[in-house]
Each structure stands twice: as structure tokens, then as C-alpha cells.
Amino acid sequence: MKTGWLRVGGAWYYLEPVSGKMATGLKKVGGATYHLASSGAMTTGWALDGGKWYWSNSSGALETGWLSSGGSWYWLDKSMFQMAADWQQVDGKWYYLRSNGAMATGWLKDGNSWYYLDSSNGGRMVASKWQYVGSVDYKFNGSGRMVGAWVNVPAMDQYPNLPDGCESVALANMLRYFGFPASNTTIWNSYLSFSDWNFVSAYAMGGCMAPCNLRCGKSVSQRSRQFSARPGCNGVFTFRYLLVFAVRHTGSSVGSG
């Protein structure tokens, strides 16, 4: 009775040592594990089995760990051998693998949060630090979520048009930085409501407070699609964008974590 490896018609098959039965699925032989198709033929390269992807080298042995294939990187589980997807922690570092298994790099939006996967650092998720992406210095918390940024905003002077109203001008300056065509009077003239006394929800007594600007920022952003392409600017303003003192300054802090 023939057992062990058997080559038939250019394909390799494995016959169980005791019964001689043809093996299928994952089979450990010696120090390596192999994938055998439903036909029993040993596979090489990518193979799909039961909704899971596997990759075998030219000898048929299944690979684990990082794999470079077709210009992308993939992670093959070291115990299950299958291709991973979604968030994956490897040696204490986090990576994101798309639904096709390819490792993502650059900006990633997951749920309502933005993350940055640094291609210059092997695709690792940036966490617990400030890091420049392009010309903007972003802040990432311990879970990798982008929570703020430090940007260089060209000065927008409130004078002589507005002797007061620095809050609305600061908002206009930040909007202009993110691509909205705003002047120092845009917010004051077109978006703020007015009151003789209520400076919390309207412009009154020479100024207004954050809640008023917050609602104003939402109103502006909801009328413009220019924010959706930037991380964190999905048409919904938060207090992060109002922690800006950009009226007569060139450096502005956005977010405190």
C-alpha cells in the first residue's frame, strides 16, 4: 500500500501513513504544514479554502508572518496559517489589513475616528505622539485616534472691519485654512445671530462665546463638502476646531486630546 507523498500528473498528493487515505485540507508533514485542495492536490501560492486564504511557497509549505505579494503586504496567522484582515497586533504594534488582506498605509477612517498608518515605519499605526503628515503636525492618542493638530494659519486681522469679534474671526480663519472662502466678516455678517444680551447663543455686547461659534461652524460645514476630504473634517464641527486663536497669530493649536 502506497503511503506518504505521491506525484500524479504533475500534482502532489499525500496518503496517510496507516490507512493510505488521501489527505485534504491542512496537513502537517515533518516540520512543515501543507494545504491540500479538496481534490487532494497540494497547492502553491494563494489558495482559498472555506472562506479563508492561505499561501504556500514553491515547495508547498504554508508560510506565516509577513508576506509581500503583488506589491502589497499581508499577514498570515502564525498558528492558523490563514490571511488576516482588519486590525492586527504584531509584536506590540498595530496594523490595519483591508478586507482583501492588503496592509493599509496612510490615513484610515474607522467608524468616526481617523488613524494614520505610517508607510515610512512599515505601516505601523501612529499612537501616543505628535507626528507630521505633510505640513500638518497631528496629535494621536494612545489608541491611535487622531485627536488634534497644530497648523500654521496665515494671519487674518479683525481690524478695521471688526473692532471686536475675535472669536468669529478665529473661526473664519480656521475655515479658510480648511478651504472655505471666508473673510474676516463672513461669519459675523452671514452666519451669526444677534442679541442684545445673550452672548452664549448669539453675538451680543461686542462678542460671543464658544457655543455660539460651535453652532455657527456646524452650519457652515454642513453647507460645504470641502471638509470631507480632510481627516477629522467630516462636516461636523467639534470644540477641537474652536480651540483656535488664529486672529493675529501664525501658529494655532487645534485640540488638546
Side-chain angles (χ1 to χ4, degrees):
M1 180 178 64
K2 177 67 177 176
T3 62
W5 288 108
L6 175 66
R7 188 174 178 85
V8 178
W12 285 98
Y13 300 82
Y14 187 79
L15 307 178
E16 298 288 357
V18 176
S19 65
K21 181 181 178 180
M22 181 186 71
T24 59
L26 301 186
K27 182 66 181 179
K28 187 173 183 180
V29 181
T33 300
Y34 301 83
H35 176 258
L36 305 165
S38 59
S39 66
M42 182 191 76
T43 63
T44 59
W46 288 109
L48 180 64
D49 189 341
K52 307 295 183 183
W53 284 97
Y54 302 88
W55 197 89
S56 307
N57 60 28
S58 58
S59 71
L62 286 167
E63 295 283 356
T64 62
W66 286 112
L67 169 72
S68 178
S69 175
S72 297
W73 283 95
Y74 301 82
W75 176 255
L76 305 170
D77 187 89
K78 290 189 175 182
S79 59
M80 303 296 291
F81 300 98
Q82 64 198 34
M83 180 193 77
D86 211 330
W87 288 105
Q88 187 76 26
Q89 189 176 37
V90 180
D91 298 329
K93 306 298 182 182
W94 285 97
Y95 303 83
Y96 188 84
L97 306 163
R98 301 191 186 280
S99 58
N100 65 356
M103 183 185 73
T105 58
W107 285 110
L108 171 74
K109 188 177 183 182
D110 188 14
N112 292 321
S113 299
W114 284 92
Y115 301 84
Y116 189 72
L117 307 162
D118 191 356
S119 60
S120 67
N121 196 20
R124 296 175 181 176
M125 180 191 76
V126 177
S128 301
K129 64 185 292 187
W130 287 85
Q131 177 158 323
Y132 271 95
V133 180
S135 60
V136 179
D137 194 11
Y138 291 92
K139 183 179 181 180
F140 300 89
N141 67 12
S143 66
R145 184 169 62 89
M146 189 275 290
V147 294
W150 186 271
V151 297
N152 290 321
V153 180
M156 179 186 284
D157 201 333
Q158 71 187 70
Y159 301 106
N161 312 67
L162 300 175
D164 50 27
C166 60
E167 300 92 341
S168 64
V169 177
L171 175 58
N173 202 5
M174 205 65 213
L175 288 168
R176 184 173 67 175
Y177 175 82
F178 282 117
F180 190 86
S183 70
N184 61 357
T185 59
T186 297
I187 302 301
W188 192 87
N189 283 334
S190 303
Y191 291 93
L192 285 175
S193 57
F194 294 87
S195 171
D196 292 332
W197 59 275
N198 184 6
F199 60 91
V200 174
S201 60
Y203 186 93
M205 297 184 292
C208 57
M209 295 187 69
C212 177
N213 268 311
L214 179 64
R215 283 189 291 273
C216 179
K218 287 182 178 180
S219 175
V220 175
S221 64
Q222 287 167 1
R223 300 184 194 182
S224 173
R225 297 183 179 180
Q226 299 183 53
F227 301 96
S228 60
R230 288 181 176 267
C233 301
N234 56 2
V236 179
F237 262 68
T238 68
F239 277 102
R240 179 165 68 244
Y241 298 106
L242 297 180
L243 295 174
V244 179
F245 304 95
V247 182
R248 292 185 298 272
H249 305 277
T250 56
S252 300
S253 176
V254 185
S256 58

